[in-house]
Amino acid sequence: MKLLFAASEAYPLLKTGGLADVAGSLPEVIRQQGVDVRLLLPAYGDVFERLASPPTVVAELVLAGEPVRILETHLPGTALLTWLVDHPLFSQRLGNPYLDQQGIPWADNAQRFMLLSRAAAHISTGDTVLDWRPDVLHCNDWHTGPAIALVHLEEQRPLTVFTIHNLAHMGLFDRETFTQLQLPEHFWQDNALEFYEQCSFIKGGLVYADYITTVSPGYAREICESPGGMGLEGLLRQRQDCLVGILNGIDVDTWNPATDHYIEQRYDAASLQDKALNKKSLQQTLGLEQRDDRPLLGFVGRLAQQKGLELVLPVLDQILELPAQLVFLGTGDAGYEQQLQSLADIHPGCMAVVLAYNESMAHRIEAAADIFLMPSLFEPCGLNQLYSLRYGTLPLVRAVGGLADTVVDATPASVANASATGFVFREPTANDFLAALQRACQQWQNKETWHELQLSAMAQDFSWQQSAERYLALYRTAAESRRQ
Ligand code: ADP
Ligand code: GLC
């Protein structure tokens, strides 16, 4: 079986969030199962310095009049063949692939990701010099949605799978942009790419894909209803027979407290007492008071509305009085950045804020914190709570999407039968969040039970194996049903 896996980012070449973690591990795990896989990514300017050796040119294409080169390399640290779509729209753009320095989407994003989509569609159906055509085209999120619409124009086409990592990002562009993209006019219809007088890239995947997946069973249910479906619930309900939720896995080598080179002191379930050294070291680095009589609460993530900061910021004083220490790592919305920074300035020694994208700091927080905060308003899967479980850092999450699917709330019953792995609250209110946090902090005082909870958390297996098998089974069933 041949698989083309197309995405806009993949760790370690370029990462802004969880999509990169998934695209950087799932295709490689599938390759290890014997599938002939190509990962397709844009050749962003920053990517070149992260390659072990210069890539080779394997094709020169002309896509909608634009000359494009396909460069071949391997995803660093793997044997996964990776094709990079090389065009100045990507290679001459450094930094965040979607946003400028002010956090505003690049004005030519429609042209840029249409080019990526056209490359995926061309490799899948066109005459290329590549001499390789996939049986399955698997696209991810809005950036590659149009690829699926385009291949469905062709008679000879691969099976198509589209994964929704986040429905909130739809790739919406105005009518004028749609015209400039030179797409078939009939795409401007409600049963195609048109969405309330705009062109929606994600609809390319949602309307046309043979199969739609999303990254947790919980989110698969939520998006078929309002408000989770964000206006697309009707379409998704129509397509429910072809929609499945497959929980993300995690890269258990990159995220392993026993081998993690970013952290001060490595540890595992048998040496959990050593975790405390990571807390001490982080407190020192970030100028927090060196104390072990209160829990350290960690947050790592995009500073976006999705992540539920609205539930945390209004009760920040109460949180610190629990008592607890707080550390935030993130970038994003300028308003949240400013609020967090001024709160940290008012509470030196108790609260630290790192407004940066910092891989090593993310690992250090996972290893150092006692409790990891993920009060998301919605969360398709969420990876940080899975990393937290593995690091014995108990996640405190809201009961939505993948968070509800992966964390078991510590109740007297679940603690007694050793199934509890964290703390869960329901309502999207600061009060509900604070009540759960109070519960967690009380529990933390009971060292013996806490230790038990940590062991249960660390024993969870969220490695890619199971999920990858589910994707493989989907490709096979789908291919089989097409043959018939
Ligand atoms: P999302 O994809 O919605 O951003 P996930 O929880 O799925 O959320 O994945 C986020 C990923 O991005 C995690 O690997 C997390 O560690 C990483 N991450 C987010 N913000 C930062 C940051 N400021 N510095 C380092 N890593 C970050
Ligand atoms: C998205 C979601 C996140 C998910 C990630 C990877 O960005 O917000 O919940 O874990 O994609 O699928």
Side-chain angles (χ1 to χ4, degrees):
M1 184 190 289
K2 296 208 274 299
L3 166 70
L4 181 65
F5 192 96
S8 58
E9 52 180 276
Y11 179 82
L13 290 179
L14 197 117
K15 168 167 163 180
T16 71
L19 171 60
D21 288 343
V22 175
S25 34
L26 173 62
E28 167 61 6
V29 179
I30 290 177
R31 185 196 67 79
Q32 289 167 9
Q33 309 271 336
V35 177
D36 181 10
V37 187
R38 302 288 183 279
L39 172 64
L40 187 74
L41 297 171
Y44 302 114
D46 289 320
V47 156
F48 292 92
E49 65 192 45
R50 295 175 192 151
L51 297 175
S53 55
T56 48
V57 182
V58 288
E60 298 196 3
L61 315 173
V62 178
L63 302 173
E66 288 294 320
V68 169
R69 298 191 311 167
I70 304 293
L71 311 179
E72 183 172 281
T73 183
H74 287 98
L75 190 69
T78 72
L80 180 69
L81 273 175
T82 300
W83 283 345
L84 303 172
V85 180
D86 185 27
H87 184 279
L89 281 175
F90 294 126
S91 58
Q92 289 179 9
R93 201 66 55 80
L94 301 176
N96 189 299
Y98 318 119
L99 308 172
D100 68 13
Q101 285 79 0
Q102 276 70 50
I104 297 166
W106 297 109
D108 51 6
N109 274 349
Q111 285 74 15
R112 298 169 71 228
F113 293 105
M114 186 52 71
L115 202 62
L116 175 64
S117 290
R118 283 192 195 280
H122 187 88
I123 294 168
S124 302
T125 58
D127 297 323
T128 71
V129 287
L130 289 164
D131 197 23
W132 186 95
R133 270 211 205 170
D135 304 302
V136 180
L137 169 64
H138 187 158
C139 290
N140 296 273
D141 272 355
W142 71 266
H143 325 91
T144 49
I148 303 226
L150 289 170
V151 304
H152 279 252
L153 293 171
E154 307 295 325
E155 211 152 287
Q156 291 290 321
R157 64 165 181 87
L159 178 92
T160 56
V161 177
F162 183 74
T163 297
I164 304 166
H165 294 265
N166 196 333
L167 205 54
H169 301 281
M170 299 186 186
L172 293 177
F173 303 100
D174 61 17
R175 169 76 215 201
E176 199 183 323
T177 307
F178 173 81
T179 308
Q180 287 162 4
L181 293 174
Q182 304 169 42
L183 291 167
E185 193 52 35
H186 72 265
F187 278 1
W188 188 264
Q189 278 180 24
D190 179 43
N191 61 2
L193 301 194
E194 193 263 333
F195 184 64
Y196 295 102
E197 300 296 313
Q198 290 195 288
C199 164
S200 157
F201 274 28
I202 204 169
K203 276 189 76 186
L206 304 184
V207 171
Y208 293 96
D210 294 314
Y211 283 88
I212 304 169
T213 74
T214 188
V215 289
S216 69
Y219 194 58
R221 286 189 298 275
E222 288 171 11
I223 57 178
C224 289
E225 304 291 334
S226 177
M230 300 183 171
L232 288 163
E233 57 275 8
L235 169 61
L236 288 163
R237 268 203 303 273
Q238 272 172 31
R239 303 232 49 208
Q240 221 160 359
D241 288 348
C242 320
L243 168 66
V244 48
I246 302 178
L247 198 68
N248 282 334
I250 59 170
D251 183 329
V252 289
D253 296 324
T254 304
W255 295 94
N256 180 356
T259 55
D260 192 329
H261 287 281
Y262 288 123
I263 67 180
E264 177 78 15
Q265 175 66 48
R266 293 186 267 287
Y267 61 94
D268 60 18
S271 57
L272 203 39
Q273 69 283 354
D274 290 350
K275 186 179 190 310
L277 295 170
N278 294 303
K279 177 166 169 178
K280 213 166 166 195
S281 148
L282 189 73
Q283 285 170 327
Q284 197 164 22
T285 304
L286 297 179
L288 290 170
E289 290 168 17
Q290 298 258 312
R291 45 198 320 166
D292 57 10
D293 62 345
R294 56 201 56 190
L296 174 62
L297 318 180
F299 174 98
V300 177
R302 294 180 293 111
L303 302 177
Q305 206 191 9
Q306 174 191 348
K307 300 295 171 183
L309 290 157
E310 311 288 351
L311 313 188
V312 181
L313 297 175
V315 289
L316 205 108
D317 288 338
Q318 285 108 300
I319 296 174
L320 295 174
E321 281 160 18
L322 281 169
Q325 290 182 331
L326 265 168
V327 52
F328 288 88
L329 168 65
T331 57
D333 191 291
Y336 289 132
E337 290 195 358
Q338 278 155 16
Q339 281 185 72
L340 283 169
Q341 191 56 61
S342 32
L343 284 163
D345 293 343
I346 306 171
H347 300 287
C350 314
M351 172 175 171
V353 169
V354 182
L355 299 175
Y357 187 89
N358 184 331
E359 202 76 45
S360 91
M361 187 53 76
H363 286 248
R364 289 186 66 188
I365 292 174
E366 287 291 1
D370 297 291
I371 300 169
F372 194 90
L373 306 181
M374 264 180 108
S376 306
L377 300 184
F378 69 94
E379 196 62 74
C381 178
L383 296 171
N384 275 309
Q385 85 279 14
L386 304 179
Y387 303 147
S388 301
L389 290 169
R390 192 153 162 77
Y391 281 67
T393 303
L394 300 187
L396 185 151
V397 305
R398 183 156 167 256
V400 281
L403 299 176
D405 287 343
T406 52
V407 180
V408 179
D409 189 29
T411 61
S414 65
V415 171
N417 67 20
S419 62
T421 57
F423 302 90
V424 183
F425 69 100
R426 286 203 172 271
E427 297 306 316
T429 61
N431 277 345
D432 232 38
F433 163 72
L434 189 62
L437 189 55
Q438 274 161 343
R439 224 164 23 94
C441 290
Q442 255 161 24
Q443 196 67 266
W444 182 80
Q445 298 293 347
N446 182 342
K447 297 292 172 227
E448 220 169 287
T449 320
W450 193 262
H451 188 239
E452 295 296 318
L453 288 170
Q454 286 180 301
L455 293 181
S456 302
M458 293 174 89
Q460 302 299 306
D461 178 8
F462 287 109
S463 59
W464 266 110
Q465 221 53 40
Q466 275 184 41
S467 311
E469 273 161 27
R470 295 204 56 202
Y471 280 105
L472 261 175
L474 177 75
Y475 301 155
R476 293 206 175 105
T477 321
E480 188 52 36
S481 65
R482 260 190 101 200
R483 262 196 296 278
Q484 286 163 6

